[in-house]
């Protein structure tokens, strides 16, 4: 009797997770799935739901494509990237995962794989990551009063490439300029925090 109630509560928690995701509250969706797992660890589809929400969460938090695909080292060989992509694609494919987040997560993972599997795009992306890491590591000089007033102005220029699957983003804030390549996912361009 008690186990039946726990199973019903777990199924409801899983359904609430999808509702929270639909409302754009990814963290609450993940918390709801955690509760469902505690109530009934054998509830079908929990791992697929969780993976889909985590992909969206990582995208929202602007993780790198390597992190989204579960790869720790950017110098990883293409065969390992392909293996990780296939694992995620099987879990996230909308035919196998009934979560509302599955289709979007599948497209995100596909976009990341498309970028990292193309040697030219990957090289450009890695260069942008290295530049970003260097710019994050260096400290900027203290601006003068005049520069402080103008540094509140931020300009972003987005240039689509010929294949229309990637964009070059050029951001200027005050006297700092940064440029990186990012893919187009579902018609949207993913901007990094400045």
């Amino acid at each position: 009797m008690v186990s039946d109630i726990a199973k019903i509560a777990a199924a409801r928690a899983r359904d609430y997770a999808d509702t929270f995701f639909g409302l754009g509250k990814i963290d609450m969706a993940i918390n709801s799935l955690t509760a469902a797992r505690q109530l009934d660890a054998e509830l079908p589809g929990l791992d697929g739901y969780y993976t889909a929400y985590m992909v969206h969460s990582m995208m929202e938090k602007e993780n790198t494509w390597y992190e989204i695909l579960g790869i720790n080292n950017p110098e990883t060989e293409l065969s390992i990237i392909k293996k990780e992509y296939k694992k995620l694609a099987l879990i996230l494919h909308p035919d196998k995962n009934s979560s509302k987040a599955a289709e979007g997560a599948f497209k995100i993972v596909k976009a990341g794989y498309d970028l990292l599997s193309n040697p030219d795009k990957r090289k450009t992306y890695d260069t942008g990551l290295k530049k970003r890491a260097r710019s994050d590591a260096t400290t900027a000089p203290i601006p003068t009063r005049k520069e402080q007033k103008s540094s509140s102005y931020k300009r972003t220029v987005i240039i689509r490439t010929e294949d229309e699957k990637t964009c070059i983003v050029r951001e200027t804030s005050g006297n700092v300029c940064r440029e990186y390549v990012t893919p187009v996912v579902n018609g949207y361009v993913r901007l990094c925090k400045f």
Side-chain angles (χ1 to χ4, degrees):
M1 177 78 174
V2 174
S3 65
D4 291 340
I5 293 171
K7 288 181 181 185
I8 292 169
R12 268 205 183 148
R14 183 189 60 202
D15 295 341
Y16 285 140
D18 250 359
T19 303
F20 286 132
F21 176 78
L23 296 171
K25 300 186 182 293
I26 298 171
D27 291 337
M28 290 181 75
I30 292 170
N31 290 343
S32 186
L33 271 185
T34 303
R37 181 172 280 152
Q38 289 171 350
L39 291 167
D40 183 9
E42 296 173 8
L43 186 67
L46 281 182
D47 291 334
Y49 276 64
Y50 184 76
T51 304
Y53 296 146
M54 286 306 295
V55 167
H56 281 280
S57 177
M58 292 174 85
M59 187 74 174
E60 188 177 84
K61 293 176 182 168
E62 299 180 354
N63 290 50
T64 66
W65 288 113
Y66 292 105
E67 293 167 333
I68 290 171
L69 290 174
I71 297 164
N72 297 326
N73 185 2
E75 293 159 9
T76 302
E77 293 179 18
L78 181 59
S79 62
I80 295 172
I81 292 172
K82 187 175 185 177
K83 180 180 169 185
E84 292 300 316
Y85 163 72
K86 283 186 174 186
K87 264 198 273 185
L88 283 172
L90 279 173
I91 293 169
L92 297 172
H93 197 280
D95 290 345
K96 297 187 185 251
N97 189 335
S98 58
S99 167
K100 289 180 183 176
E103 185 176 349
F106 182 78
K107 288 179 181 179
I108 289 168
V109 169
K110 175 80 169 109
Y113 175 72
D114 288 345
L115 183 124
L116 296 178
S117 64
N118 182 319
D120 295 332
K121 290 180 186 178
R122 182 177 178 184
K123 185 177 179 182
T124 307
Y125 179 72
D126 289 346
T127 303
L129 284 179
K130 288 176 185 172
K131 284 182 183 177
R132 187 170 84 184
R134 273 186 272 150
S135 70
D136 290 348
T138 60
T139 56
I142 299 171
T144 64
R145 277 268 193 227
K146 190 175 182 181
E147 289 172 333
Q148 285 177 350
K149 289 180 182 175
S150 67
S151 68
S152 63
Y153 175 74
K154 182 178 175 183
R155 180 176 178 202
T156 303
V157 178
I158 300 172
I159 305 162
R160 278 204 183 228
T161 55
E162 290 178 16
D163 65 358
E164 295 193 6
K165 292 183 180 178
T166 58
C167 288
I168 299 171
V169 178
R170 188 174 297 134
E171 295 178 324
T172 308
S173 179
N175 60 351
V176 179
C177 183
R178 176 174 90 157
E179 187 173 295
Y180 56 92
V181 175
T182 186
V184 178
V185 180
N186 296 337
Y188 292 96
V189 176
R190 178 176 169 202
L191 300 177
C192 296
K193 287 185 181 175
F194 200 83

